[in-house]
Amino acid sequence: MNRTIITVVGKDTVGIIAAVCTYLAEHNINILDISQTIVQEFFNMMMIVDISKYEGKFDVMAEELRRIGDEKGVQVKCQREDIFDKMHRI
């Protein structure tokens, strides 16, 4: 399995989850786990996804998701699980 962490942060607006999940489904990216919260008007979502069936390049996926975030007024970041783990060790 090739796992990736996707984070989405910003002001809440209609369609954030739909836009991100539609992209993932259209590119054979499976959502393994998802956590989403809204605190007052601020939206925060973290997803663990499996990109093993994705046929494109990681950098292209990350850039396309970043652009979707820009359209929705939020920040979308993608990190490979191994990099994410190394960055968040205490």
Side-chain angles (χ1 to χ4, degrees):
M1 191 178 311
N2 194 351
R3 293 170 24 144
T4 296
I5 311 301
I6 299 173
T7 56
V8 182
V9 178
K11 289 241 181 181
D12 188 31
T13 186
V14 173
I16 298 169
I17 297 171
V20 173
C21 290
T22 297
Y23 176 88
L24 298 177
E26 288 173 349
H27 292 86
N28 275 334
I29 300 170
N30 188 36
I31 299 168
L32 302 172
D33 200 355
I34 183 171
S35 173
Q36 172 246 275
T37 58
I38 299 171
V39 178
Q40 294 184 18
E41 72 270 12
F42 297 99
F43 178 85
N44 184 24
M45 180 169 65
M46 180 174 171
M47 307 171 91
I48 301 171
V49 300
D50 177 8
I51 63 169
S52 59
K53 293 184 181 175
Y54 173 64
E55 295 181 1
K57 294 183 178 181
F58 180 86
D59 292 342
V60 171
M61 174 194 69
E63 176 60 22
E64 289 174 343
L65 284 167
R66 186 196 63 75
R67 279 192 231 134
I68 288 170
D70 288 349
E71 291 170 9
K72 292 293 178 185
V74 296
Q75 290 184 343
V76 179
K77 299 195 185 263
C78 300
Q79 288 183 302
R80 296 181 190 275
E81 182 181 36
D82 57 340
I83 304 291
F84 184 87
D85 286 344
K86 288 176 184 173
M87 289 180 58
H88 292 89
R89 281 191 190 160
I90 296 177

